[in-house]
Amino acid sequence: MRSIYFFLLCLTINSYTTHSQSVKTVFRTRIPDGTNLSSDVKITGNFFGSSGQSMSHIGGGVFEYELFSSCGKRISYSFTIDNQNETIQSGCCIGSTSARSIVIPDADTLLPTVCFSSCDSCETGTLVTFKVALQNPTAQGVYIAGSFNNWSLTSSPMTFDSVQGLYQYSTVLTAGTNIEYKFVLGNQFENVQGLCASGSFNNRTLSVPTSDTVLPVVCFASCSPCPPPPAPVNVTFRVDMSLQSVGPNGVFLTGSFNGWTPIPMTANGSVYSATVPILSGSNIEFKFRNDTSLFENVPSSCGVSDGFGGFNRTLSVPTSDTVLPVVCFSSCSPCPPTSLVTFRVDLGLLAPDPNGVHIAGSFQGWNPASTP
């Protein structure tokens, strides 16, 4: 049996004081063996309303209630089962009543578990704390179900620890016994994968130790901790525009990683580049764009269908910063080498036009006015 003694008090000179800071006091009682675990166990008294507050079953016949209050307040309380008051003979009562008494400590406190209708400690078992993390956060509640609570999906909710980012649940179990259990998300049992899964239902198992134990954190449906969340890495995209006539607004990168919002690219000669942080491990699609309207025509040999008769480039984002190879606009490969070509024409007897003489061709989009 574990004996727990404590003395925590908010004091000023010769008097108690009430601090404005709220602290948490956790009350626990163990109901008699054979009592229906679905009974309405309450804590009553001057701080718990006219009809009392229902307590939560945390396993092993132990019920608890968390009170948030300013420290230094003296309160009286007692426990009931299905509205039947406990009867305490001596030791922890106020006067001739069966009310217990406590002064709220000046820090968060877990009071010893007491037997219903007794001042004695009932902490004869082992306090076991279970911990689980979710790889993908959700608003659904997380519970634990097992042989110790008749596999109830909802009777043992787990508490979220926002500092550690995990769910935990503590209960008193009988040392030396073997239990099976699973974590529950919403109303669905986890499908445990790995060496810790036992039997045809892939249950977790535990041989309850003789001393209080905090179990290692595991990932939901896994025997191991959750892997670290993906981190963004810098990906540098590059495109060669040497075979294109670049529009006045420049060259842009668009992709699924940002909802296809155009990102301006920076020119270094004929090569344009843009560096974007993207989550590692993600699979993205992207394209380059000339000016504000002309998307490149990605060949099917290096693209996937865009759903509109064309193709997008694809990339599985690596785990470290990456500079992608230079590709030619509308091509899967680098641009071929280019040569300087000078075109000359003799107008003969034609009079020069006031707008000048231009050349047009496939190399500049057949624009009659862009190349004087």
Side-chain angles (χ1 to χ4, degrees), residues 285-296:
E285 298 181 15
F286 66 99
K287 270 184 179 178
F288 300 111
R289 196 164 88 176
N290 188 351
D291 209 336
T292 57
S293 59
L294 181 59
F295 284 95
E296 63 176 340

Side-chain angles (χ1 to χ4, degrees), residues 245 353 355-361 363-372:
S245 178
D353 190 280
N355 294 318
V357 179
H358 297 73
I359 186 171
F363 58 88
Q364 50 85 273
W366 294 99
N367 188 330
S370 66
T371 311

Side-chain angles (χ1 to χ4, degrees), residues 145 151 179-182 189-190 192 195-205:
W151 293 99
I179 67 165
E180 297 186 9
Y181 66 99
K182 275 186 176 181
F189 284 106
E190 62 179 341
V192 185
L195 296 177
C196 65
S198 176
S200 57
F201 295 102
N202 289 347
N203 294 331
R204 301 180 188 270
T205 62

Side-chain angles (χ1 to χ4, degrees), residues 33-357:
D33 292 341
T35 306
N36 190 338
L37 294 179
S38 63
S39 299
D40 188 11
V41 180
K42 291 184 177 181
I43 184 170
T44 62
N46 57 348
F47 263 66
F48 306 101
S50 58
S51 58
Q53 298 292 328
S54 293
M55 304 180 71
S56 301
H57 183 217
I58 64 171
V62 177
F63 288 73
E64 78 170 20
Y65 179 79
E66 296 179 353
L67 173 67
F68 292 87
S69 173
S70 299
C71 70
K73 292 182 178 293
R74 179 178 291 278
I75 68 171
S76 59
Y77 65 98
S78 59
F79 303 113
T80 68
I81 300 177
D82 292 334
N83 295 321
Q84 296 296 314
N85 290 323
E86 60 180 344
T87 302
I88 305 174
Q89 299 302 320
S90 63
C92 55
C93 300
I94 303 174
S96 60
T97 71
S98 59
R100 305 172 188 267
S101 177
I102 185 178
V103 175
I104 299 298
D106 62 357
D108 292 350
T109 302
L110 171 62
L111 300 178
T113 303
V114 293
C115 294
F116 189 84
S117 290
S118 172
C119 299
D120 297 331
S121 171
C122 278
E123 296 186 339
T124 57
T126 300
L127 185 67
V128 179
T129 299
F130 302 83
K131 293 186 176 184
V132 66
L134 300 181
Q135 191 163 359
N136 299 309
T138 176
Q140 291 180 288
V142 179
Y143 303 82
I144 185 171
S147 54
F148 61 89
N149 69 353
N150 296 320
W151 293 99
S152 170
L153 289 174
T154 58
S155 66
S156 302
M158 304 188 73
T159 302
F160 181 65
D161 184 334
S162 59
V163 176
Q164 301 183 67
L166 53 83
Y167 293 82
Q168 62 183 29
Y169 174 81
S170 298
T171 187
V172 177
L173 301 172
T174 303
T177 58
N178 296 314
I179 67 165
E180 297 186 9
Y181 66 99
K182 275 186 176 181
F183 300 112
V184 181
L185 181 60
N187 60 357
Q188 295 295 318
F189 284 106
E190 62 179 341
N191 182 16
V192 185
Q193 301 296 319
L195 296 177
C196 65
S198 176
S200 57
F201 295 102
N202 289 347
N203 294 331
R204 301 180 188 270
T205 62
L206 174 69
S207 179
V208 180
T210 57
S211 58
D212 293 351
T213 300
V214 178
L215 298 178
V217 182
V218 292
C219 198
F220 190 86
S222 169
C223 298
S224 307
C226 292
V233 296
N234 291 320
V235 180
T236 300
F237 300 82
R238 299 187 296 170
V239 61
D240 188 344
M241 302 296 290
S242 60
L243 302 184
Q244 307 296 319
S245 178
V246 176
N249 293 302
V251 179
F252 298 86
L253 167 70
T254 63
S256 58
F257 51 84
N258 72 343
W260 297 93
T261 301
I263 298 173
M265 304 186 75
T266 302
N268 182 9
S270 65
V271 175
Y272 288 73
S273 66
T275 301
V276 184
I278 307 174
L279 289 179
S280 62
S282 56
N283 295 308
I284 66 168
E285 298 181 15
F286 66 99
K287 270 184 179 178
F288 300 111
R289 196 164 88 176
N290 188 351
D291 209 336
T292 57
S293 59
L294 181 59
F295 284 95
E296 63 176 340
N297 292 315
V298 178
S300 60
S301 58
C302 60
V304 295
S305 173
D306 62 6
F308 301 98
F311 298 90
N312 294 328
R313 301 181 188 270
T314 64
L315 175 68
S316 180
V317 180
T319 57
S320 59
D321 294 350
T322 300
V323 178
L324 299 180
V326 178
V327 292
C328 200
F329 191 83
S330 292
S331 171
C332 299
S333 308
C335 291
T338 58
S339 300
L340 181 64
V341 178
T342 300
F343 298 86
R344 298 188 297 170
V345 61
D346 186 348
L347 296 182
L349 299 179
L350 293 175
D353 190 280
N355 294 318
V357 179

